[in-house]
Amino acid sequence: MPWAPIDAAFKSNNDPMVGVDRQKEFRGLFRTVANPMPAPMGLGPERR
């Protein structure tokens, strides 16, 4: 089964309540919060 059409359909499905511009803002906020947070909760280096 070709997954490309299914993948494209999910990628084009935006939340109509939030909109594309808002999603970009939320993505930036997520990076601000998650990047410095240590793994496994965040994306930063693991705590020693």
Side-chain angles (χ1 to χ4, degrees):
M1 173 177 212
W3 288 101
I6 296 170
D7 191 38
F10 273 98
K11 284 182 181 177
S12 68
N13 187 12
N14 293 318
D15 185 349
M17 297 294 288
V18 178
V20 176
D21 291 336
R22 229 13 116 185
Q23 287 179 342
K24 289 178 183 177
E25 289 179 39
F26 285 137
R27 231 178 263 132
L29 178 61
F30 173 80
R31 284 188 196 109
T32 300
V33 172
N35 283 342
M37 189 184 308
M41 297 300 286
L43 303 174
E46 193 170 329
R47 256 190 220 176
R48 294 180 188 202

